[in-house]
Amino acid sequence: MKFADDKNGVPNNRELYALLHISPEATDEEIRKAYRQWAQIYHPDKYQAPQMKEIATENFQRICEAYEILCDENKRQIYDIYGMEGLTSGLELGPKLNKVEEIKEELERLRRQKEQEKVLAHVQPSGSILANLSLPQFLEGDGIMRGMAMASEVHSKISKHNAISLGGNLAVNGNSGGGAASVVLRHQISSDSSVEFMGSLGLRALIGVQTSRQLSLHSTATMGVAMSLRDGSINLSNTWSRQLSETTNGNIELILGPESSIGVGWQKKEQKNAASGEIKIGTGSFGAVGHYTHRFSLKSHGRIAGRVGSSGLELEVGGGRKVSNFTTIRMLYTIGIQGIFWKFELHRGGQKLIVPILLSNHLNPVFASGAFIIPASLYFALKKFVFKPYYLRREKQKFLENLEKTQGQVREARAAAEKAQQLLQNVANRKRNKQLEMGGLVVTKAVYGNRKALTTRNRSVEKVDEVASQIIDVTLPLNFLIDESGRLKLHDGVKKSGIMGFCDPCPGEPKQLYVEYTHGGNKYEVLFLRMLLPIFSNAFIKEYGLSRGREVV
């Protein structure tokens, strides 16, 4: 069996659950039961040999610490959100919080406050440059530049409850142009509400005020009023936002004034997919936009977007790639009523460079197909023969650097895991022999470690030093975890490296758990794509209709 364990897929505040081998949703009774089971194995009084007593004492202290935290409702709530950092930093909930709901609300408020303080701790500059180019205009001898726009903003926290944003923009289109400067002063009234005062001069000279309030744990309301300094007109705006699910948010916006409108939008963001949509109806206008982004890997993504309304109709497809920790490049192809475009984007930190290139004002099918196929083919050719070899070399270099950096840490963790396995050996062998007699579940081989090292299952990985250093044999602890009914369960959302007898042999790298087992005298190996999918006995497999796996002849 093979289980994926993504390096970013499991939160760090689940290690204590892995240590006791319980689910993050475990009840108090389940926690006490698990503690008693592990205490019977690791209690120091059970061992006479000084070396074994020392190993037992070390692991028993870990068991006791995990039990002390998880059986205390307040400490467990803090640990679930902040991890050990929240406990060691002295985070307190206050004496008046007795109900679980009150604790959760307070923890959520503290989490939001901590995130806000982190975001506002530094000066944050952002900006964009837009350069509109035109190929037809260039061929006619009028120059390639259609227009240009620049915008910049600096956000800074000036005190504990106050922040200021300064911004400006310039735009040139043909023989006309203009600019504007703006300032926004934000005051945090409380942890749930804030107010903003804004003003701008230039093309859109106005003054205004806007207030926001957290109505509940999942909903926010924003109201604002702005007055134009040119004609004295007033605009009123109201926005209601609500978290519809763990990955989905929705909002409704109402604007009243010379250009009244109402809009409804939603955003959904998952680990690999993101989508959003908005419908807006205004005075004499209508528009709808939507986009969908799929992340193929940690570094590359594809995107499709569309826009329809009274002002235009267009479809946009393309993709992008992350070339460094702070830099992303993107290429998009757009076809619509306004013509056929290529768009190049460079994102670095908070800065953007966007270059749309008008290829044709006419929607010629042959030209439109060529404009899409030629650059796409060029991209895939460069990716295969230039980019991919380069990134493979760079990833290997990073891997070797990380391996050298974490050698000491891994050596200590591996030694601790091997010591923990020594005390599990007698019980694990007894369970294994019992399952053999019953024809039940017996793990014959289990290795945990680097995903790439375990990709080729037929390779003798034990003989390759570089690969062997990236995995750990966990056959014994898995046999120990099989219960009396012949069932083995790995809890969803819990790091396997925290299980007794396990360790992380390759910090920072994606990991997998590969298991070979026998059942009823037959040998099996199974590949599960879902992360941390539990392994169960034959009864469970039959009940849920899962594949038994591939029989090894």
Side-chain angles (χ1 to χ4, degrees):
M1 286 173 281
K2 206 171 199 179
F3 300 84
D5 190 10
D6 187 77
K7 63 182 177 180
N8 297 320
V10 180
N12 291 327
N13 52 350
R14 292 292 183 266
E15 293 179 358
L16 297 186
Y17 293 100
L19 190 63
L20 294 180
H21 192 58
I22 55 177
S23 167
E25 288 77 35
T27 62
D28 292 343
E29 180 59 33
E30 290 172 334
I31 294 173
R32 284 191 290 270
K33 181 180 178 181
Y35 168 73
R36 288 194 295 267
Q37 290 175 343
W38 287 109
Q40 289 176 0
I41 301 295
Y42 288 107
H43 199 288
D45 293 344
K46 294 189 62 177
Y47 303 94
Q48 299 300 324
Q51 182 183 1
M52 301 298 283
K53 184 180 285 289
E54 181 183 352
I55 296 173
T57 301
E58 179 182 341
N59 286 283
F60 185 68
Q61 290 174 348
R62 296 172 62 200
I63 295 294
C64 291
E65 181 186 25
Y67 175 70
E68 179 185 350
I69 292 172
L70 297 183
C71 70
D72 186 300
E73 190 173 24
N74 288 7
K75 290 182 179 180
R76 184 179 179 182
Q77 290 286 342
I78 295 173
Y79 175 75
D80 284 347
I81 294 181
Y82 294 102
M84 291 301 296
E85 182 183 357
L87 295 168
T88 56
S89 63
L91 182 63
E92 297 180 357
L93 298 176
K96 297 182 179 180
L97 302 176
N98 298 317
K99 297 181 180 179
V100 175
E101 293 77 10
E102 293 176 345
I103 294 173
K104 289 182 177 179
E105 290 181 5
E106 179 68 6
L107 285 170
E108 183 65 23
R109 186 189 68 79
L110 292 172
R111 184 187 65 80
R112 292 198 308 268
Q113 181 178 339
K114 186 177 181 180
E115 288 180 352
Q116 289 176 353
E117 290 177 354
K118 185 177 179 180
V119 170
L120 298 175
H122 306 285
V123 175
Q124 298 177 342
S126 61
S128 64
I129 298 176
L130 174 67
N132 278 304
L133 308 182
S134 173
L135 183 59
Q137 184 176 297
F138 175 74
L139 295 176
E140 292 175 0
D142 295 331
I144 196 171
M145 185 68 70
R146 297 174 62 205
M148 192 169 186
M150 293 182 292
S152 182
E153 183 181 45
V154 177
H155 181 89
S156 177
K157 187 175 181 180
I158 55 179
S159 68
K160 185 176 181 179
H161 299 289
N162 298 295
I164 189 171
S165 297
L166 301 174
N169 61 78
L170 293 171
V172 177
N173 190 4
N175 296 324
S176 61
S182 63
V183 58
V184 177
L185 179 63
R186 185 175 187 270
H187 175 68
Q188 191 75 30
I189 301 173
S190 67
S191 60
D192 296 324
S193 59
S194 63
V195 62
E196 294 182 356
F197 302 93
M198 63 195 75
S200 67
L201 296 173
L203 290 175
R204 298 190 61 184
L206 57 83
I207 55 173
V209 61
Q210 176 176 283
T211 180
S212 300
R213 182 170 179 80
Q214 188 88 18
L215 301 178
S216 67
L217 192 61
H218 302 292
S219 59
T220 305
T222 301
M223 294 185 295
V225 57
M227 184 183 72
S228 172
L229 298 180
R230 289 180 173 271
D231 55 16
S233 60
I234 295 178
N235 276 293
L236 302 175
S237 63
N238 291 271
T239 303
W240 297 271
S241 303
R242 181 169 180 81
Q243 183 178 348
L244 305 177
S245 69
E246 291 184 358
T247 60
T248 308
N249 295 301
N251 64 277
I252 300 175
E253 182 183 52
L254 175 63
I255 297 177
L256 301 176
E259 298 180 357
S260 299
S261 66
I262 183 171
V264 179
W266 62 274
Q267 306 85 36
K268 184 178 181 66
K269 188 172 183 180
E270 298 176 337
Q271 185 175 359
K272 289 189 174 182
N273 303 301
S276 68
E278 183 181 17
I279 298 176
K280 196 169 187 177
I281 302 174
T283 305
S285 64
F286 164 80
V289 296
H291 92 269
Y292 171 77
T293 301
H294 177 74
R295 189 171 295 278
F296 301 106
S297 67
L298 293 175
K299 294 185 177 181
S300 61
H301 67 272
R303 171 186 170 93
I304 181 170
R307 180 171 65 90
V308 61
S310 54
S311 60
L313 173 66
E314 67 179 28
L315 176 68
E316 184 178 79
V317 294
R321 184 171 183 85
K322 188 175 182 180
V323 296
S324 71
N325 291 334
F326 303 102
T327 306
T328 300
I329 57 174
R330 183 185 293 171
M331 180 177 178
L332 303 166
Y333 169 80
T334 305
I335 182 171
I337 295 176
Q338 296 181 349
I340 302 170
F341 292 83
W342 284 343
K343 185 189 291 185
F344 299 94
E345 296 183 5
L346 173 64
H347 298 238
R348 180 168 178 80
Q351 311 300 319
K352 299 179 184 179
L353 173 62
I354 304 173
V355 184
I357 303 175
L358 175 63
L359 302 177
S360 175
N361 292 310
H362 309 289
L363 299 181
N364 183 290
V366 177
F367 186 85
S369 300
F372 176 75
I373 295 173
I374 293 174
S377 303
L378 180 62
Y379 166 75
F380 285 111
L382 290 173
K383 178 182 178 181
K384 182 176 181 179
F385 298 108
V386 179
F387 298 142
K388 190 173 182 179
Y390 168 75
Y391 283 116
L392 287 176
R393 289 195 301 269
R394 196 173 73 166
E395 287 299 319
K396 185 176 181 180
Q397 182 181 356
K398 287 183 178 180
F399 168 76
L400 294 175
E401 291 176 354
N402 183 61
L403 183 64
E404 183 179 356
K405 186 191 305 181
T406 59
Q407 272 184 345
Q409 173 188 343
V410 171
R411 194 181 301 112
E412 292 178 5
R414 188 183 291 272
E418 291 173 352
K419 289 179 180 178
Q421 288 190 22
Q422 290 181 33
L423 303 186
L424 300 177
Q425 188 169 0
N426 291 335
V427 178
N429 289 338
R430 189 163 60 246
K431 288 185 175 183
R432 183 177 183 274
N433 293 333
K434 182 179 179 181
Q435 290 296 320
L436 281 173
E437 294 175 1
M438 298 169 52
L441 177 63
V442 176
V443 177
T444 57
K445 177 183 178 181
V447 287
Y448 174 69
N450 190 296
R451 181 182 299 176
K452 294 179 181 178
L454 299 175
T455 300
T456 307
R457 300 193 296 276
N458 295 327
R459 184 174 59 184
S460 180
V461 297
E462 292 83 1
K463 296 182 180 180
V464 183
D465 292 340
E466 184 177 309
V467 174
S469 66
Q470 296 293 295
I471 63 174
I472 180 174
D473 190 305
V474 292
T475 307
L476 193 145
L478 285 189
N479 277 311
F480 173 85
L481 293 176
I482 297 175
D483 60 23
E484 295 181 356
S485 62
R487 188 181 67 171
L488 170 61
K489 182 177 181 181
L490 299 180
H491 298 287
D492 191 14
V494 175
K495 275 191 173 182
K496 292 183 288 295
S497 59
I499 299 174
M500 274 293 188
F502 280 60
C503 74
D504 187 349
C506 48
E509 298 292 329
K511 287 167 279 291
Q512 283 182 336
L513 171 62
Y514 172 70
V515 182
E516 294 178 3
Y517 69 100
T518 63
H519 190 279
N522 298 319
K523 296 181 179 180
Y524 295 94
E525 62 176 6
V526 180
L527 174 63
F528 283 112
L529 298 180
R530 180 182 171 188
M531 183 177 67
L532 296 169
L533 188 68
I535 317 170
F536 284 94
S537 62
N538 189 39
F540 180 88
I541 294 173
K542 186 179 295 184
E543 177 183 352
Y544 286 88
L546 296 177
S547 169
R548 184 67 179 278
R550 183 169 68 86
E551 184 172 356
V552 181
V553 181

